[in-house]
């Protein structure tokens, strides 16, 4: 498997996404914005459609579109009267509607490679894609890890962070921008319609066993990378779509940890009852 260059690129891309997505997702879960990745994925679809129509680089145009959408929703949420849920819904439906309309205008109808962006096609990742993903991933990690304690403070309690003198809007916009960047990095790996799963499921798994924010980040990254690598390997041998396989691997890890923690708690309760009876 690893003797093929396209699989080497696939594993590198998967590890980059598995590494970066949970570091962003942990803040989204804390802010109860678990579905924002889906909304930004729809906006990125509009960027892909524009790139197809103008014959430009899909990654670059999708990145610009997603960042603009992410910043807009954060500014609207902070300055306007629209609630986060309503703004997110507008992002969802506006992004997908614009993408569908624009793609319908492509010469010859809907392009055959559109599924690669919607559901992922990691084996088609080029050397240039890997370099681009590596640069974008480094930028995301620089923000999420370098400014982690400030993002945590803002995500945990905006009012307290504001009272402490932190530029809340700036950090919110920055988090929205790195979320959009992560969506674009992952669109060739798991697809625009599945990226939220890789942001959220590893974090949900980590929260079952970790007892601090830092430990949650570490465990979530381990689960994310493991799910991404395992998903690529399974998809190669089972001849299944890489994006869906990676997400199912992450969900399987969540189910396994959930069952394990339940069994541990059940065993402890039973031991406690036995000691009380004795």
């Amino acid at each position: 498997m690893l003797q093929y260059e396209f699989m080497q690129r696939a594993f590198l891309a998967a590890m980059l996404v598995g590494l970066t997505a949970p570091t962003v997702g942990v803040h989204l879960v804390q802010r109860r914005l678990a579905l924002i990745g889906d909304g930004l994925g729809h906006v990125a679809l509009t960027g892909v459609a524009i790139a197809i129509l103008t014959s430009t680089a899909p990654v670059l145009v999708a990145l610009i579109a997603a960042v603009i959408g992410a910043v807009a929703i954060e500014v609207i949420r902070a300055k306007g009267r629209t609630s986060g849920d309503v703004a997110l819904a507008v992002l969802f439906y506006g992004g997908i509607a614009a993408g569908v309309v624009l793609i319908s205008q492509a010469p010859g109808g809907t392009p055959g490679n559109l599924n690669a962006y919607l559901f992922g096609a990691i084996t088609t990742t080029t050397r240039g894609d890997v370099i681009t993903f590596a640069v974008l991933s480094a930028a995301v990690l620089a923000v999420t890890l370098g400014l982690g304690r400030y993002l945590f403070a803002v995500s945990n309690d905006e009012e307290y962070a504001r009272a402490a003198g932190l530029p809340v809007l700036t950090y919110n916009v920055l988090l929205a921008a790195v979320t959009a960047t992560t969506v674009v990095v992952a669109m060739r790996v798991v697809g625009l319609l599945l990226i939220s799963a890789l942001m959220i499921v590893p974090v949900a798994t980590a929260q079952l066993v970790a007892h601090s924010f830092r430990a949650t980040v570490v465990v979530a990254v381990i689960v994310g990378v493991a799910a991404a690598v395992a998903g690529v390997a399974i998809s190669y041998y089972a001849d299944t779509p890489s994006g869906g396989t990676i997400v199912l691997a992450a969900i399987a890890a969540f189910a396994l940890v959930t069952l394990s923690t339940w069994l541990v708690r059940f065993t402890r309760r039973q031991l406690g009852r036995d000691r009380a009876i004795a």
Side-chain angles (χ1 to χ4, degrees):
M1 177 173 58
L2 289 177
Q3 68 268 28
Y4 300 113
E5 189 175 347
F6 74 92
M7 286 304 299
Q8 295 172 9
R9 294 194 297 267
F11 275 112
L12 283 174
M15 285 189 287
L16 287 172
V17 174
L19 180 65
T20 56
T23 65
V24 176
V26 68
H27 297 289
L28 300 182
V29 170
Q30 192 175 13
R31 298 179 62 188
R32 295 188 175 133
L33 289 174
L35 294 179
I36 194 172
D38 285 326
L40 293 177
H42 292 159
V43 175
L45 176 62
T46 300
V48 171
I50 293 172
I52 291 173
L53 287 174
T54 58
S55 299
T56 51
V59 172
L60 177 60
V61 182
L63 177 62
I64 294 172
V67 169
I68 290 174
V71 172
I73 193 174
E74 204 49 61
V75 172
I76 290 172
R77 191 179 71 86
K79 300 295 185 180
R81 295 182 178 180
T82 306
S83 70
D85 289 342
V86 173
L88 192 57
V90 171
L91 195 70
F92 262 105
Y93 303 124
I96 196 72
V100 169
V101 169
L102 290 173
I103 287 173
S104 69
Q105 303 303 308
T110 304
N113 63 347
L114 182 61
N115 283 342
Y117 297 101
L118 292 176
F119 304 106
I122 196 171
T123 55
T124 64
T125 304
T126 64
R127 186 184 298 272
D129 288 335
V130 172
I131 294 173
T132 301
F133 295 163
V135 172
L136 294 177
S137 296
V140 170
L141 292 174
V143 173
T144 56
L145 299 182
L147 301 175
R149 59 177 179 170
Y150 302 110
L151 293 175
F152 171 78
V154 172
S155 298
N156 189 51
D157 190 337
E158 283 193 6
E159 294 302 322
Y160 176 79
R162 193 173 284 110
L166 292 177
V168 172
L169 179 59
T170 300
Y171 284 123
N172 283 340
V173 169
L174 193 59
L175 179 60
V178 295
T179 303
T181 304
T182 304
V183 167
V184 173
V185 169
M187 71 180 181
R188 293 297 293 273
V189 178
V190 295
L192 294 174
L193 299 184
L194 295 173
I195 175 53
S196 273
L198 206 55
M199 286 184 181
I200 304 307
V201 176
V203 177
T205 305
Q207 288 179 331
L208 294 173
V209 295
H211 301 289
S212 69
F213 180 77
R214 181 172 297 179
T216 299
V217 174
V218 172
V219 175
V221 167
I222 293 172
V223 173
V225 172
V229 172
V232 172
I234 293 171
S235 68
Y236 174 80
Y237 289 110
D239 193 23
T240 55
S242 58
T245 308
I246 290 171
V247 171
L248 288 176
I251 293 174
F254 174 76
L256 182 61
V257 173
T258 300
L259 179 61
S260 300
T261 54
W262 181 84
L263 288 174
V264 168
R265 290 171 184 170
F266 177 78
T267 303
R268 286 177 178 174
R269 284 198 299 268
Q270 288 299 111
L271 290 174
R273 289 174 184 173
D274 293 343
R275 289 172 182 172
I277 293 174

